[in-house]
Each structure stands twice: as C-alpha cells, then as structure tokens.
Amino acid sequence: MPPVSGFYEENAEFYVQGTFHLDMEGTRRKFLSYVPEGGRILDLGFGSGRDMLAFRDAGYQVVGIDPCLPFVRRARSLGMEALALRAEDMPFVNEFDGIWASASLLHSEDLPKALGKCHKALREGGVLYCSFKKGSFRGMRDGRFYADMEPSTLEQSLKIAGFFPLSVWTSEDSLRPGLFWTNGMARK
C-alpha cells in the first residue's frame, strides 16, 4: 500500500472531521462554471467526500476515486460511487466533463503520469481543477509524500500534460493563516 494511503487509513476519522466542513463553495462554483449542467465529474482523491456530496446535490453525476479504503467505505455508505484507485492507475478514457483534484495530486510521486491520466479521462473540452501547497518542496512531510507547486511550475506542468491553463492563482488556507495554496484550472 502506498505510504499516503497508510497515513490516511490510520487517520481517516480525524481527517474527515477536520476537512468535511471546510468552505470550498467559491472554488467549486468557479469549477462548475466550466462543467455542463448535470455533467459527469470525477472527484480525484475525495477524502471526506465533502465535494462529492456538494456536486451530487447540485445535480451532477459524480464518481470518486481515493486509495484510502476507509474513505471509500464512507463515501459508499453515503450513496456515492467510489473506487479505491490512485490517480496513476485510473483506467478512464474520455469519460468526464470535469475532474476535481482538490489537494490530492500533491501526493502523487509521478505527477506527469497522474496528469496524463487526468487528460485521458476527460472528454474534449473537459476541465481539471487541482491544488497544491505553494512552494517547491518535494518529498516526505508529516508522514506523506508531497509535491508542492509554485504557480509557474503548475502552469508549465499542465501545459506539458496537454492542458490549456485557464487560470492559475494563489489562495490562503481558511483555517491555517500563512499556508498558501497554488490552484489551477485547465481545459483539455
């Protein structure tokens, strides 16, 4: 089992309690402005399931993937379609109008492969949202692998994977002042 999954498996309930009520409404609204009404969305690394539920409640068709089995079981108990998969192992081809990867691809040790799989999974014109801790660190931190991103690095990574970057921006964490995120929205 990958080290990231092991961390989340051991801390699943704590993680759900700490992230389920985070306000992502503004970012979700921006993402959904690019997704056709009722479209098909992949929540990549869905964790607590917060965003999957919001998308479903807004009338979208949602599938979630996460390598952490307690997260998958929890999402299924909430009536969500959830699969135990890593981004690098996705089998999807031209299936989604949008991919929501909120603070999940930052754990990928092979980001080019993961972004390539995202590109392949999207329909033509589909959109990817992703977020990373801002910075240039790459390695183990707090029991998990992290690939932090500066805005220019994220923009370049998206282009290399075949995406057209729509916007790349920095935001401050709502619960942890001083922690900044690099966010990207890109179209296939």
Side-chain angles (χ1 to χ4, degrees):
M1 172 139 331
V4 170
S5 295
F7 174 88
Y8 286 111
E9 297 232 352
E10 293 170 15
N11 298 283
E13 192 55 39
F14 176 78
Y15 181 82
V16 168
Q17 290 175 7
T19 62
F20 190 77
H21 297 290
L22 290 178
D23 182 11
M24 292 294 292
E25 184 59 33
T27 307
R28 280 195 304 262
R29 194 168 35 255
K30 185 174 184 174
F31 169 72
L32 290 176
S33 73
Y34 295 105
V35 178
E37 194 170 314
R40 191 162 157 84
I41 295 173
L42 174 67
D43 190 339
L44 191 159
F46 58 81
S48 69
R50 169 196 68 223
D51 301 314
M52 282 176 58
L53 291 169
F55 294 138
R56 181 189 69 186
D57 292 349
Y60 293 86
Q61 304 167 51
V62 186
V63 175
I65 66 167
D66 200 295
C68 176
L69 292 177
F71 291 161
V72 171
R73 285 192 292 271
R74 182 177 188 282
R76 288 176 180 168
S77 76
L78 297 171
M80 303 301 300
E81 183 179 347
L83 305 168
L85 279 174
R86 297 177 322 132
E88 297 86 350
D89 301 325
M90 289 191 297
F92 311 116
V93 178
N94 299 321
E95 289 191 39
F96 299 98
D97 300 299
I99 296 177
W100 175 264
S102 178
S104 57
L105 288 173
L106 55 76
H107 293 307
S108 176
E109 293 185 49
D110 189 349
L111 188 58
K113 182 176 182 180
L115 286 173
K117 290 284 191 167
C118 288
H119 191 271
K120 191 173 184 178
L122 283 169
R123 295 177 177 144
E124 198 62 39
V127 68
L128 166 70
Y129 165 73
C130 55
S131 60
F132 299 80
K133 288 186 176 183
K134 186 178 183 304
S136 57
F137 177 83
R138 182 176 168 78
M140 294 299 290
R141 177 174 61 215
D142 302 327
R144 296 164 276 185
F145 176 85
Y146 279 93
D148 296 351
M149 285 276 188
E150 291 292 343
S152 61
T153 309
L154 177 56
E155 187 169 348
Q156 187 63 28
S157 296
L158 291 168
K159 287 178 180 176
I160 290 169
F163 287 98
F164 175 78
L166 298 166
S167 64
V168 175
W169 71 99
T170 302
S171 60
E172 188 169 12
D173 193 279
S174 60
L175 293 179
R176 298 169 287 184
L179 173 60
F180 290 88
W181 294 88
T182 298
N183 303 269
M185 199 83 67
R187 188 180 299 282
K188 176 177 178 176

